[in-house]
Amino acid sequence: MEKLPEGWEKRRLGDVSSVIMGQSPSSSLINKEGKGLPFLQGNAEFTSKYPNPTSWIEKPLKTSGKGSILVSVRAPIGDLNFANSQCCIGRGLASIEANGFIVDNIFLWYSIHYFINELIKIGQGSTFDAIGRNELRNLCISLPPLPEQHKIADILETADKAIEKTDVIIEKYRRIKQGLMQDLLTKGIDENGQIRNEDTHKFKDSPLGRIPEEWEVAKLGNQIYLNPDRLTCSKNVLINYIDIESVVDNKIQVIKSLKIEDAPSRAQRIVKCNDIIVSTVRPNLKAFAFISPKYDNYVCSTGFAVLRAKKDTHPLFLFYLVLYDMIFLKQVLPLIVGSNYPAINCSVLLNLHIPLPPLPEQHRIASILSQIDEVIEKEERYKEKLERIKQGLMQDLLTGKVRVNHLIKET
C-alpha cells in the first residue's frame, strides 16, 4: 500500500458520505411536461457538469439532494455530474452526499473521479457492467485534513474553469464556422472580400436554389476522380490503415499499423495528400476527413469513397462542400439503402450536384474556412494541454505526493 503523508488517512466512501442507490419507478408515472421533480434514469442526460433532464415525476421513489454527486453505476460506469436541484434517480445512478464535517463536497467529486477506476474494474467483471451499493460504499479515497481538502479543491476547480473557458471559445468558433459555411457555400465572396447578397449582387435560379450569377452547378463526378488508387503489394509489407473508427470529428485520430496479410480484406484504397474520404456506410454519421500530408499513401477501408479533386476544383473547398449538410447530406440521405447496414453505393456520389464558383473564389472560400479551423484546432490543442495538466495535478494532489498545506494560512 502506498504510504500516505502525515495527517492523511484512507477512508471508505460510505464512512464520509451517504450513498443512495437509485430505483426506477413505473414508466406510467413519468411525464415530459415538467410536473414534479426531474427524473434521471442514468447518465443519458449528463453534460460536462450538470444533468439536463428530459423527464419528470410527481411521485419519486429515490431522490438526490441539490449539490449531491450523481454517479453512473451501470454501463458506462463512473460518469459523474452534480445535481443542480433535487431530483429523482433511477437504477442507473447513485447519489453521494458528502459529510461536510469530514470531507469537502468538491474535493470528494475530484476524488471519486480519480479513484473510480477501481470500481470500473469491479463492474466489468460482471455479465452486465454495473456496481452495487456495497462496492460504491467500499471505494477507498485518500483523505487529507479539511483545510487541505479545500485548497486542493480550489486548485482543481481553477483548472476546470480554464478548461470550461476554452470549451466556450471552441464552441464560439464552431458556430462562426457554421455561419460562414452557410454564407460562403451558398452566396460566396466577391473579389473585394464581400459576402454576396441579392441586394448588391446578381443571383440566378439553379437545381440547388438561388446561387450567384458567376457560379455554375456541376455534377460531382465531373470534378473528381473516384477511388483512383488501389492497393497492390506483396506480403510482409506494413500498411497504415484508416477505418471508419479512425475518423472522429472529421479528423483522422486512430491509425492501425498492420501487415498486409493481417489487414482486413476491406483495406484496399490508397489515399493521397488532399484527397477526401467519405464514409459510404452510415454516411449520416459523417465520418468524413481531409487527407493531410501526414497521411499521404495510407490505406483506407472500402467503407469510404475516396474523392480526388480535378485541377479546376480546389480540394479544400470541395471538402467544405462535403461537410455542409444542406448541399451534400441533403442529397445523400435519400439514397441510403438497407436498414441493418445503411449505406450508399460509391457510384451514386458521381451524380450529386455541387455549386461551383470560379477557381479563385474557391481559393478565397477555402482560405477563410481553413483559418477558422486553425483557430479551433489551436484551442483544442490548448484544451488537451490543460486536461493533461489537470490530470497531473489530480495524481499529485489527491494522493498527497505534492502537498499544498504550506499554502494554507495558519488559523
Side-chain angles (χ1 to χ4, degrees), residues 265-281:
S265 60
R266 299 182 303 277
Q268 294 181 16
R269 292 178 178 154
I270 296 175
V271 294
K272 303 281 189 180
C273 177
N274 293 332
D275 283 350
I276 298 156
I277 55 174
V278 173
S279 54
T280 54
V281 178

Side-chain angles (χ1 to χ4, degrees), residues 59-117:
K59 295 180 179 179
L61 298 178
K62 294 293 182 72
T63 62
S64 177
K66 182 178 180 180
S68 296
I69 300 168
L70 302 172
V71 184
S72 173
V73 294
R74 292 184 170 228
I77 298 168
D79 285 355
L80 301 184
N81 259 203
F82 277 120
N84 50 355
S85 67
Q86 187 182 20
C87 58
C88 174
I89 53 174
R91 61 181 179 176
L93 297 178
S95 171
I96 298 171
E97 188 170 347
N99 179 332
F101 296 103
I102 302 173
V103 61
D104 175 84
N105 198 48
I106 306 297
F107 175 86
L108 187 60
W109 159 275
Y110 288 113
S111 290
I112 295 172
H113 258 300
Y114 183 73
F115 291 103
I116 199 73
N117 282 336

Side-chain angles (χ1 to χ4, degrees), residues 170 173-178 180-181 249-251 290 316-317 319-320 323 365-381:
I170 292 170
Y173 279 104
R174 283 177 177 165
R175 289 195 302 269
I176 291 172
K177 177 184 173 183
Q178 280 302 114
L180 281 172
M181 286 176 70
D249 294 334
N250 305 126
K251 296 183 184 68
F290 187 76
L316 200 50
F317 168 79
F319 177 59
Y320 289 120
L323 288 185
I365 292 170
S367 176
I368 292 168
L369 293 174
S370 64
Q371 286 175 40
I372 295 292
D373 271 340
E374 286 171 8
V375 174
I376 294 171
E377 288 168 11
K378 178 183 175 183
E379 293 297 332
E380 286 174 339
R381 288 194 298 271

Side-chain angles (χ1 to χ4, degrees), residues 4 14 30 66 78-79 107 123 222 252 274 313 329 337 360 368 377 400:
L4 292 175
I30 300 168
K66 182 178 180 180
D79 285 355
F107 175 86
N222 294 332
I252 298 170
N274 293 332
T313 305
L329 274 188
V337 295
I368 292 168
E377 288 168 11

Side-chain angles (χ1 to χ4, degrees), residues 123-191:
Q124 288 174 340
S126 58
T127 304
F128 178 78
D129 289 358
I131 53 172
R133 185 172 185 269
N134 287 339
E135 289 91 353
L136 198 53
R137 282 179 52 84
N138 287 326
L139 177 68
C140 285
I141 62 173
S142 301
L143 205 63
L146 200 55
E148 194 167 354
Q149 293 179 39
H150 293 322
K151 189 63 183 178
I152 291 171
D154 285 345
I155 293 170
L156 294 176
E157 272 199 304
T158 300
D160 263 342
K161 286 175 182 175
I163 293 170
E164 290 166 9
K165 183 178 178 181
T166 307
D167 266 333
V168 170
I169 294 170
I170 292 170
E171 187 56 36
K172 171 189 170 183
Y173 279 104
R174 283 177 177 165
R175 289 195 302 269
I176 291 172
K177 177 184 173 183
Q178 280 302 114
L180 281 172
M181 286 176 70
Q182 181 175 340
D183 286 341
L184 295 173
L185 298 176
T186 61
K187 302 172 185 176
I189 184 169
D190 65 22
E191 61 276 7

